[in-house]
Structure formats: C-alpha cells, structure tokens
Amino acid sequence: MTHTVALAPLSPTARTTHKRARHHGVTDRAALFDVLRSAKLCHLGVSTDGVPLVLPTAYGFDPEGPDQDGTLYLHGSVASRSLAPDSEICVTVTVLDGLVLARSGFHHSMNYRSAVILGRPRIVTDPDERLSALNLIVDQVVPDRSGHLRASTRKELAATVVLALPLFEASVKARTGGPGDDDADIGVEKVWAGVIPASVQFGEPIRAEDLDADITLPEHVSAMM
C-alpha cells in the first residue's frame, strides 16, 4: 500500500535533531529528497557481533513508498551478514559540492549536502515491491536503465535480499559559500582563499569487448556524459 508523502519537517526525534553546527542544519524534507536524488552511493552502518561496520553500497528510494514518510531501499546477497541486521541501522549519503580553502587550516572546509537516516529496516518479501525496489536501485545509478534490461531470473531473486528503511527519522546538513576566515587574517595573510567547485563527471563509455558491433550507445547512457 502506498500513501501520499506529507512533507513533514525533518529532525522529528531527539536522535536526528541537530546539536552541533546547527546553522548547517536543514529542516525542509524536500532537501532530503534532493540529496538522495543527487548521489549514487550511500554508506550503511550496522553492528555485527558487537563490531560496527560501515559499508558503501548502492540504494534506491521512493518518496511515496509504503513506509513512514517514504522508503529507502538497499540490496545485497542473502549471505551478507551486514544485510541481516537484528537492530537499527544508519544510512548516510553525502554530495560534495566544493572544497573551501581558507587562510588557515582551522577554517578549511567543504561545501556539501548530506543526509543521515536512522531506523529499523524490514526485509521486503512482496514480489512486486521487491522488483520495484531493485529497479529503483538500478535507476538510481543510471536513470531509466532498468527498462532496457532483461527480467531478473528466479535464481537471481532468490540470491538477493532487499531491505526497506523508513525515511521518517532523518536529518540533513548542507554548507554553501566561501571560507569563514578570521577578520584578523583578511588582508594581512597573503594566502589564496576561495572555493574549488566539485561535481561528479562521467567519461566516455567503454564498450564491452563482447558487445555486438551493431549495438549503438543508448540515449539513457549518453545522457550521463
């Protein structure tokens, strides 16, 4: 069952209420969706046998998913212990927008957008939701890619676990602008200061060696360049 997302403010709990650098905190839930749309990779934080693990992984999300305030989807092997948590997990997503160079090391920083999502995931068992979630994960990496692929086999689906995490308990921080140098350093220290913009750029696609010669580059791939 799906529902219309009510764009409630972020930081609805004590765990996701900003305590440090509150001026970078963003309370607009639309900012969470902006971060999730902009990134390709998240980091999954779990505890396995009392040992904390933080693992990079692909993800997909549905702002109108069946969980509270939308759903974040993760996937992996059924044999992966990191995807069989018996407690809550933490997912972080970061987009680097620039390197901020100040006149002192203390004031160096980065321009960024980041999200932290906390909660107890559920294992997705509904066949339709599993297929939709896996397509969302593929399309997060390359938009519209899933529509050009063959259908997943029963063996592949049986080997894959899909987790769903509510987007309810989340926080977002963002930094923009130039360096925040001390007044005493401005105009005195002859050190270059400013911002080096950063973005993700994809290069020229490289054909698979066994790709038929008559298969041309599809539009959904060329659009990434």
Side-chain angles (χ1 to χ4, degrees):
M1 180 180 68
T2 61
H3 63 276
T4 301
V5 172
L7 293 182
L10 286 171
S11 300
T13 72
R15 297 193 305 180
T16 53
T17 299
H18 300 295
K19 298 177 177 63
R20 183 180 178 277
R22 292 185 180 182
H23 59 290
H24 292 316
V26 182
T27 59
D28 184 357
R29 182 162 291 272
L32 171 63
F33 299 148
D34 170 66
V35 174
L36 294 177
R37 290 189 185 98
S38 300
K40 300 293 184 185
L41 186 72
C42 73
H43 284 83
L44 167 65
V46 299
S47 178
T48 303
D49 294 333
V51 177
L53 296 175
V54 178
L55 305 169
T57 186
Y59 69 92
F61 78 102
D62 182 358
E64 298 188 4
D67 299 284
Q68 187 174 8
D69 288 325
T71 305
L72 180 81
Y73 291 108
L74 306 165
H75 83 304
S77 169
V78 294
S80 173
R81 299 180 66 190
S82 64
L83 289 178
D86 57 5
S87 61
E88 296 187 332
I89 65 174
C90 175
V91 174
T92 63
V93 183
T94 303
V95 181
L96 177 64
D97 294 321
L99 306 177
V100 181
L101 279 58
R103 294 169 178 83
S104 67
F106 183 82
H107 288 298
H108 272 63
S109 187
M110 298 183 188
N111 285 339
Y112 66 91
R113 289 162 286 156
S114 69
V116 176
I117 305 157
L118 302 170
R120 185 179 296 273
R122 61 181 173 87
I123 296 178
V124 179
T125 57
D126 178 78
D128 291 337
E129 187 183 3
R130 276 170 55 85
L131 288 175
S132 176
L134 292 171
N135 287 339
L136 285 171
I137 293 170
V138 169
D139 290 341
Q140 182 68 27
V141 178
V142 179
D144 300 325
R145 180 67 176 170
S146 66
H148 298 266
L149 306 178
R150 66 159 173 79
S152 298
T153 66
R154 292 179 63 183
K155 182 178 180 180
E156 290 170 339
L157 292 174
T160 304
V161 63
V162 178
L163 295 184
L165 181 66
L167 290 173
F168 165 70
E169 194 171 9
S171 65
V172 173
K173 280 188 175 182
R175 187 197 189 280
T176 60
D181 280 304
D182 295 331
D183 291 341
D185 292 332
I186 299 175
V188 177
E189 296 292 337
K190 303 302 180 181
V191 178
W192 189 92
V195 177
I196 303 174
S199 63
V200 175
Q201 293 184 332
F202 299 99
E204 186 75 21
I206 301 172
R207 296 172 63 87
E209 294 181 358
D210 56 359
L211 186 67
D212 290 343
D214 62 344
I215 298 179
T216 61
L217 191 69
E219 183 178 351
H220 71 277
V221 176
S222 62
M224 299 285 292
M225 300 165 55

